[in-house]
Amino acid sequence: MNSTPNGGAAPPYQNGPVGQTYPSTYPPGYYGAGPQQQGYPTISGHCAPALNKSPITNNDHSAYYHHNSHQQPIAAPTVAPSAYRVTQGSHPPSQPYGTLPTSVAPPNPQQAPPFQQPSPYALHGAYHGQQQYLPSQALIYPQQLNLVSATPSSQGTPMYPIVSYPSAPGSSQYGTLRSSQAPTGPGAISNLIGAPLHQYPPGNGTSHPASTAAVPSGHSMAPPGQPATVNGQGNAVQAPVLQHYDQSHQAAMAHDHYGVTHNTGGADDDRPPSGTPFTSSPGHQQGGDSSSTTTGSASPVPNSYDSLEGGSYPESSIPPSADMTKQAPPFGYGYPSMQPAYQQRPSPRTDSSPSHGRYNQTGYQHLSQPFPNMSQLSAALGGLSGVPELEVEALRPVNLLQERNLLPHRPLDAPEPNLNADLKKANCSPDTFRCTLTNIPQTQALLNKARLPLGLLLHPFRDLAQLPVITSSTIVRCRSCRTYINPFVSFLDQRRWKCSLCYRVNDVPDEFMYNPVTRSYGEPHKRPEVQNSTVEFIASSDYMLRPPQPAVYLFVLDVSHNAVDAGYLDVFCQTLLENLDKMPGDTRTRVGFITFNSTIHFYNLHESLSQPQMLVVSDIDDIFIPTHDSLLVNLKESRALVRVLLTSLPGMFSQTRETHSALGPALQAAYKLMSSTGGRVSVFQTQLPTLGAGLLQSREDPNQRSSTKGVQHLGPATDFYKKLALDCSGQQIGVDLFLLSSQYSDLASLACVSKYSAGSIFYYPSLHHVHNPAQLDKFQKDLERYLTRKIGFEAVMRIRCTKGLSIHTFHGNFFVRSTDLLSLANVNPDSGFAVQMSIEESMADTSLACFQAALLYTSSKGKRRIRVHTLCLPVVSQLSDVYAGADVQAITCLLANMAIDRSISSSLSDARDALVNAVVDSLSAYKNTVSNLQQSGLIAPAALCLFPLYVLALLKQKALRTGTSTKLDERVFAMCEFKSQPLQQIMRTVHPDLYRLDTISDEGALHLNDCIVPQPHLLHLTAEKLTREGAFLMDCGSVFYLWIGKCCNDMFIRDVLGCPNHASIPPNMTQIPELETPLSERLRALLAWLQDSRTFSSTLHVLKDDASAKTSFFQHLVEDRSESAFSYYEFLLHIQQQMTK
Amino acid sequence: MAFTFAAFCYMLALLLTAALIFFAIWHIIAFDELKTDYKNPIDQCNTLNPTVEKLVLPEYLIHVFFCVMFLCAAEWLTLGLNMPLLAYHVWRYTSRPVMSGPGLYDPTTIMNADVLAYCQKEGWCKLAFYLLSFFYYLYGYVISTISTGMLSLPPLLLPSIRVCYLYLLSFCLYGYESNN
């Protein structure tokens, strides 16, 4: 599991970012301890007292690390060193660090696996984070105490009068709260600054030797989804990024310099061994993966608020902090907000850590040759003329009618933009930010000629394994277009930079001249903002319209007879109970519950009560909130009551006879309850709303389910839910909908409530605790992920692009507030967005186009943060270049989004025709303009050779198919998924990956820790590839199918499934038994590895080769003919025919 | 026979068209603001949409109203010239998005570049149409009064025409400025 993409290539390096750290931080004893969860409560409890003040920094950390309330410990490592500094002057702070890394040094594949055992499916990030930190917490503990005592001044509440937040339950208005908050105030406030970032595993040093070697291979072979890491959340993607960084750093720093520092480091005796590699060679840190840290953390000092606001900050006072370097790999670091202690410390610093000084010097010399950025840019300009091999390959004409094996062996990678090496390395990860055309056409006319859609696919809030977090009093932005400074700006000289979007020349603020990574002055182009295309800023109060809100969660539960019958309530309460402490948040976190059937029930959970008190409002026509105080309560204070409520809730309604559902009024109540704070409303609904406002009628005609004519009722029946969503969005309330209904529930109308309030939609069509345990299991796992995943509140996202480009349409769940601004009441790490672009003015005078997505949000710890992603792409004037840069997956996803809009606004058949036309148009445009071959057949450039296949697959999706019986709700849900899922997930759904399993070998397998993950080849999705002797795995994104052929080798069945033969395989098998055979181990490793690349867990269905398997499995074989749809070959002929018309 | 019903209709239409021109300019400005996101990007959509919607129905009703007047006055040519717009209004209103209240524009789709461009174009076309029809009504009014032998304009009319021109001019200027 702890894999990075390069896994196979470089074993020592391979446990990727997080993985590595685990072993290192863990004293061996911890492993033995088994599941860490048990350890948890005690530990956290244990630290609680010491941490009174640590929340300051904590918050920050945890925000990064999937907040979990236990996270306090995390703070410790960061805080501790600084405390040390402060109190003890030059004493090397790193004692703990020093020791840790040494233990890390050996790659310890052996250790990792035991750790993983307890977590067969993707564990929650928070949980991991937790684990990771606990040990260090333990180690550092004493220092922390130190810290507390050393800086008593930081507790002074009065210092932050302005920013206090409501901690008291029931206070609905900020104004009133302010005064009351004093006690919590300091913690919250100081968060603003605290800089920290990620914690960072000291272990990085180890990767040092391996990293260089590993980079290239990892890079090239890693399919995006591949890397798995322990923390189930999307690190996967990171790995490639890491490498990018690696290289760029190395490139930036000359090699000799590297050597030099190395030596000095070695010479230094007083430096902890680990420290050396770290500081000395910038390249490594990344290897280390780390989640980085920041300097800001170094200052537990409270002035932060001032510094944020006032910003006047003499450069001289900026601390060159030794621990900063040590702690912070170049990625992350914050600017220390000035710490008095630091200010005084002058040169002793160099004494204590000599290597530093030298590092700086060398760095300086090297770097002083000025502004690589500028040269990069000009190189890029020049570089465009040469046509790289990649491009030639992308343009190779492919006759689709003749070439049958188009699929690559491994899942497709995003095409690399044709940029020079430095820019390429600095560019945003394709998993976060992707453009349909990696070569942007110069003019709209050229784009029209290519007949390909231009657009972006974004996954902005993705869980990242590491992310540079910057705390700085001034966030440097272009004065005219407000673009954040990014790696693609050019520095004209030391004091001026030119915006990459609007080309305005801006001044470099003084503060920016200081580089906290190298701790040197005068190198603005080495700042992390300019080195990384994905960064996160801690925003100052300028970025707040009101004090950051606390995390507020309201659960609205359907308790009608239908709901009780389905049995979801048990699972929900159980899951919530288990995850109550893992929900992102801080001490201000509030929760509330509303249940409804034909009446609305509120629960008074005030801490002074001994029992939750239920308040019933039966006047659903004019809903009111019975008491304002205690319906949303502070989770920390009322935890006991919440637990009591959750335990008793399932029993309370078990005898209910009430069949009506007043969803509308319940939502109105939720809106009223939340409107003063904003937050997240999670609605669980099991049937059509039948009472009060927003009641709906059944619109589905079952006889029309398989009609080929067109599908009615894809749009909402009423605008009640949409209006409510807009109101919610205005009050920063996000509504997430869980629809758990087996009958028609008019999702088309209900979904509006989530669509426009930036919520998520989940649908479990046949959830029932008795009839469908597999579904219930999936619901439970999804819910767990849902509850514990990161969340951002009161967010907005703005997308800026180079002058000449403009945004045409947005796709996703949000409210569009202006032409480039999305209002997102909540933002979650699992949602993706798509943007259609148009070219308004010719971009002939530029060679690079940049796109910047800036997401401003409030973390669950009450901090305002800005996550900025910047993507840079070349601009081309030749049509052939446009084709060469086409990203077929991104194009498919964007087309899917457009088709769904079209099917709602116009009709399904229109949308389907438009999809087919997209293929016809682009291929005929290619044929007529670019390819000069006169050969007959259907010619496509290699870059687009999968395009017809993907479009055919789209046409066969639930959302867009006709002629096959599809329930309206399922169709609508599939549409919602297309619009809100990130690209990877959509592509897996559209075109599942099919592997043959019974013949897997270790050839090309990844070696992760001690398990071997086989890498079987992808197969075309056609029954032709299936054999009766084989066993096949199909990965459809949210579900895996393991299909066992009739004549499958008994050995395989016995080894993998533990059944003697095909006949004895039980019908509804949803798990693979853990057998000790090598085959079973490989297979489970493969499944776990696939699972790790996604955030929601997928269910596994073992299917026997018989009639029952037909529909669910064979519908995904998109290349085959179905009753109402073309086979792939027929589809190609159809396209060819259309082209000649 | 001083002042025929037809002349009255034209006069009324003249005044009402001035109002429609005003609406059309308002419409253009509103969408322009939406597009340029110039003043207050926050919540602009929410505040503007109701305003725009409030314009829609009165505009349609006014137009229907003087079409009916022309029908009564048996001014067939004038009525014929107005029929396309009338038909367009009917079509537009029947094909509006699902909405419980009156109105045309859906805040969730209005920011879509296609919709926005369409609405802006619609605004400019209507403005042009209303301007032309304003002069046509003026002409029609003069003709109908002349043909009935009334040579001098009624005392109130001249000033009111002047006022209309002034309004028109100032709105055009304002619209032009805001457009830049």
Side-chain angles (χ1 to χ4, degrees), chain A residues 424-467:
Chain A
K424 216 183 260 179
K425 271 163 226 149
N427 227 345
C428 199
S429 151
D431 295 306
T432 304
F433 213 145
R434 210 153 152 177
C435 183
T436 54
L437 302 176
T438 51
N439 293 326
I440 305 284
Q442 220 170 44
T443 58
Q444 181 72 36
L446 188 60
L447 177 61
N448 291 344
K449 254 192 232 166
R451 313 294 305 233
L452 291 170
L454 175 61
L456 302 171
L457 286 123
L458 283 141
H459 190 183
F461 202 52
R462 208 162 60 97
D463 292 320
L464 294 168
Q466 102 283 320
L467 168 75

Side-chain angles (χ1 to χ4, degrees), chain A residues 900-982:
Chain A
I900 280 151
D901 270 7
R902 177 75 73 93
S903 55
I904 293 172
S905 65
S906 173
S907 74
L908 196 60
S909 51
D910 250 27
R912 291 170 55 88
D913 290 348
L915 279 177
V916 177
N917 287 338
V919 182
V920 172
D921 289 348
S922 58
L923 292 189
S924 50
Y926 173 77
K927 192 175 179 188
N928 298 336
T929 53
V930 179
S931 98
N932 37 15
L933 305 170
Q934 291 306 316
Q935 82 195 86
S936 62
L938 194 57
I939 311 294
L944 285 177
C945 68
L946 291 174
F947 190 31
L949 176 58
Y950 284 161
V951 168
L952 178 65
L954 270 184
L955 294 173
K956 294 185 176 183
Q957 293 306 300
K958 269 186 190 162
L960 295 166
R961 70 188 179 191
T962 54
T964 310
S965 178
T966 311
K967 287 185 180 174
L968 191 52
D969 276 348
E970 289 184 18
R971 186 187 293 277
V972 171
F973 177 66
M975 290 183 165
C976 296
E977 290 274 278
F978 272 126
K979 295 210 72 165
S980 61
Q981 293 284 315

Side-chain angles (χ1 to χ4, degrees), chain B residues 64-83:
Chain B
V64 169
F65 170 70
F66 65 70
C67 283
V68 171
M69 297 287 281
F70 284 129
L71 180 70
C72 300
E75 290 290 324
W76 305 116
L77 177 66
T78 314
L79 189 63
L81 289 175
N82 275 299
M83 282 317 284

Side-chain angles (χ1 to χ4, degrees), chain A residues 794-815:
Chain A
E794 40 185 8
V796 290
M797 181 163 75
R798 197 182 282 274
I799 296 170
R800 298 182 172 87
C801 37
T802 295
K803 204 168 70 177
L805 291 168
S806 72
I807 293 170
H808 187 276
T809 310
F810 291 100
H811 301 276
N813 290 352
F814 47 66
F815 174 59

Side-chain angles (χ1 to χ4, degrees), chain A residues 719 722-723 756 808 818-819, chain B residues 37 99-100 106 108 111 113-114:
Chain A
D719 68 340
K722 186 197 292 181
K723 278 173 146 174
Y756 303 112
H808 187 276
S818 81
T819 43
Chain B
D37 175 24
M99 219 175 267
S100 47
D106 175 0
T108 57
M111 295 309 295
D114 284 335

Side-chain angles (χ1 to χ4, degrees), chain A residues 466-643:
Chain A
Q466 102 283 320
L467 168 75
V469 179
I470 295 161
T471 309
S472 156
S473 56
T474 45
I475 295 175
V476 182
R477 301 174 69 177
C478 172
R479 287 170 61 103
S480 78
C481 65
R482 310 298 293 148
T483 298
Y484 297 82
I485 196 165
N486 60 66
F488 312 107
V489 303
S490 43
F491 282 91
L492 302 178
D493 57 39
Q494 284 235 344
R495 310 295 309 192
R496 291 182 304 153
W497 61 279
K498 190 169 164 194
C499 175
S500 54
L501 273 71
C502 67
Y503 311 119
R504 184 189 204 276
V505 176
N506 294 275
D507 292 335
V508 176
D510 286 343
E511 189 192 338
F512 202 74
M513 299 298 289
Y514 172 74
N515 182 352
V517 180
T518 58
R519 299 187 300 112
S520 54
Y521 187 79
E523 299 174 340
H525 55 281
K526 289 288 174 208
R527 292 261 318 187
E529 294 96 318
V530 186
Q531 293 288 328
N532 299 289
S533 56
T534 294
V535 292
E536 188 153 292
F537 295 97
I538 309 287
S540 67
S541 52
D542 302 345
Y543 292 85
M544 302 169 192
L545 292 173
R546 59 175 188 178
Q549 65 165 78
V552 182
Y553 304 112
L554 179 66
F555 297 93
V556 179
L557 308 166
D558 183 355
V559 291
S560 61
H561 177 73
N562 202 7
V564 173
D565 188 46
Y568 88 92
L569 213 51
D570 285 313
V571 179
F572 168 78
C573 292
Q574 195 55 40
T575 313
L576 183 55
L577 267 178
E578 284 164 12
N579 293 288
L580 207 53
D581 300 331
K582 295 185 214 159
M583 289 202 301
D586 55 9
T587 51
R588 301 183 297 149
T589 305
R590 298 208 248 159
V591 293
F593 297 87
I594 292 178
T595 56
F596 65 95
N597 38 38
S598 59
T599 54
I600 316 290
H601 323 127
F602 297 86
Y603 296 87
N604 184 340
L605 297 169
H606 196 271
E607 51 184 313
S608 58
L609 298 171
S610 59
Q611 276 272 304
Q613 187 185 3
M614 180 164 143
L615 306 163
V616 180
V617 174
S618 53
D619 182 9
I620 54 171
D621 293 328
D622 180 20
I623 198 79
F624 62 94
I625 305 296
T627 159
H628 273 277
D629 274 2
S630 35
L631 299 180
L632 276 178
V633 290
N634 186 304
L635 179 58
K636 203 177 159 209
E637 289 160 10
S638 299
R639 185 176 309 256
L641 276 187
V642 170
R643 286 186 180 279

